[in-house]
Amino acid sequence: MRQAHGNQAGSFPFPVPAFSLVSKGIIMTLGSSLLYGFAPVICSFSYQLGNNPYTMAFLRSLFVIPVLHVLCRVKGIGYSLPVQRLPDILIAGIFSVMTTWLLYQSYAYLGVGTAVSIHFLYPLFTLLICRYAFHDTVSKVQLRSLLIASGGLLMFVNPHDIANVKGVLIAACSGLCYALYLVFLEKRRLSRINDLKLSYYLAIIASAFLLVLNIFTRQLVWVQPAESYIYVFLAAMCTSFLASVLLKKGIGLLGSAKAGFLCLAEPVLSMIFGIVFLHEPFLINKASGCIVIVWSILTSCTRSNQT
């Protein structure tokens, strides 16, 4: 198993207990899924106050910039980067923000549940890219577990939405962009860059991209209640800061294919949080899908700890 890159002392914002590298990678990746999975609950509260997904994506990145700036200053982390690394960070940032933008665009054509389910096929895209573009070794256990999990994920899909080809393609492109982002982080060794510094630059790129895009889309909503902005700030801390750092470290320890597979825990957690906090209905097909996904993840984690 590969060693972690960019695991500099003091680079992580809070202490992490001592585990094996594989176990630590699993815990960090699942931790990022937990935070990403809870974010829709926070976003939902903000939407009820007049916010929208596009504004949430923009403000989420914008609000985290000063926080990361302060943390970098406190920890003595400089902002300088080798010139040859700037194109890589720019490309990673574009893949990341395109993921969010395309996913939100797909909501205009598909139900949210269907769009998110199609988007979460990205672990399959990640594995295929790693296997055929970079010739990484893919075990039978990995492939079988991923196919089973993908089947469980499709249980979330509304059959009536599948007929909308344009929406399906947009949601699938969202998943493909995220798969490229995960692979790019690993293969271009961006995990060697300090976690806070990389998150800082990615947040700047995302904010700038969405701000320019708004010239054409006109979707930003500036006038909102103070409570809505508080929810946006909490979402920013959960996703653009903590979850982003955890996922980057997980990729550094496990690789993009395995980390991407573990991210399938996110839709399961989102469903659970939706039932608990938003009183969403408990549906048998989604519950069955969750059981299948959890079983496949547990199988994969058990196998990873044995290698």
Side-chain angles (χ1 to χ4, degrees), residues 267-289:
V268 176
L269 293 166
S270 292
M271 192 196 79
I272 294 172
F273 289 138
I275 293 171
V276 173
F277 294 99
L278 301 177
H279 309 294
E280 294 179 348
F282 179 82
L283 301 176
I284 297 299
N285 63 314
K286 290 187 177 182
S288 301

Side-chain angles (χ1 to χ4, degrees), residues 5-305:
H5 299 304
N7 218 10
Q8 303 98 325
S11 66
F12 198 66
F14 46 80
V16 178
F19 296 100
S20 70
L21 291 179
V22 173
S23 296
K24 187 183 292 187
I26 291 172
I27 290 171
M28 288 182 171
T29 305
L30 291 177
S32 73
S33 295
L34 177 68
L35 292 168
Y36 280 128
F38 188 67
V41 174
I42 303 174
C43 294
S44 178
F45 294 150
S46 180
Y47 297 157
Q48 294 171 16
L49 297 170
N51 200 357
N52 64 32
Y54 189 96
T55 306
M56 173 63 76
F58 170 70
L59 294 178
R60 197 174 69 183
S61 297
L62 184 67
F63 283 6
V64 81
I65 293 174
V67 176
L68 292 170
H69 174 76
V70 170
L71 285 172
C72 286
R73 292 295 297 270
V74 169
K75 292 179 173 289
I77 300 168
Y79 300 108
S80 61
L81 286 170
V83 175
Q84 61 269 27
R85 302 299 276 161
L86 294 178
D88 289 341
I89 294 177
L90 179 60
I91 293 171
I94 291 174
F95 280 145
S96 178
V97 73
M98 284 297 293
T99 297
T100 304
W101 183 68
L102 286 170
L103 180 60
Y104 290 162
Q105 291 299 308
S106 70
Y107 294 163
Y109 305 95
L110 304 173
V112 174
T114 298
V116 171
S117 298
I118 295 172
H119 163 78
F120 268 98
L121 292 176
Y122 71 78
L124 180 60
F125 298 150
T126 304
L127 185 144
L128 293 174
I129 293 170
C130 289
R131 173 66 183 87
Y132 293 104
F134 297 95
H135 308 291
D136 288 358
T137 301
V138 177
S139 69
K140 292 182 179 180
V141 172
Q142 278 182 288
L143 182 59
R144 183 172 64 248
S145 296
L146 183 54
L147 290 174
I148 292 172
S150 298
L153 195 61
L154 292 176
M155 294 181 183
F156 288 71
V157 173
N158 184 336
H160 299 292
D161 286 335
I162 297 300
N164 194 317
V165 177
K166 185 175 182 179
V168 170
L169 288 176
I170 293 174
C173 286
S174 169
L176 179 60
C177 281
Y178 197 59
L180 291 169
Y181 168 72
L182 296 178
V183 173
F184 204 79
L185 283 183
E186 180 193 7
K187 301 305 180 182
R188 299 302 297 174
R189 303 184 188 278
L190 293 180
S191 55
R192 290 183 174 181
I193 300 174
N194 180 276
D195 308 307
L196 298 177
K197 182 191 293 188
L198 180 61
S199 296
Y200 177 73
Y201 280 108
L202 291 178
I204 291 175
I205 293 169
S207 299
F209 181 89
L210 290 172
L211 188 60
V212 171
L213 192 61
N214 185 63
I215 297 173
F216 307 98
T217 62
R218 301 292 182 182
Q219 295 186 56
L220 284 178
V221 178
W222 297 104
V223 180
Q224 300 181 44
E227 185 180 356
S228 178
Y229 281 105
I230 292 173
Y231 286 132
V232 172
F233 181 78
L234 291 175
M237 293 302 100
C238 285
T239 57
S240 299
F241 174 33
L242 294 175
S244 177
V245 171
L246 283 169
L247 180 59
K248 174 182 170 293
K249 281 190 168 290
I251 291 171
L253 290 164
L254 299 175
S256 54
K258 290 181 180 179
F261 175 72
L262 290 174
C263 289
L264 279 171
E266 184 182 332
V268 176
L269 293 166
S270 292
M271 192 196 79
I272 294 172
F273 289 138
I275 293 171
V276 173
F277 294 99
L278 301 177
H279 309 294
E280 294 179 348
F282 179 82
L283 301 176
I284 297 299
N285 63 314
K286 290 187 177 182
S288 301
C290 287
I291 292 172
V292 172
I293 293 171
V294 170
W295 179 81
S296 64
I297 290 175
L298 290 175
T299 301
S300 177
C301 287
T302 301
R303 179 66 177 178
S304 294
N305 275 317

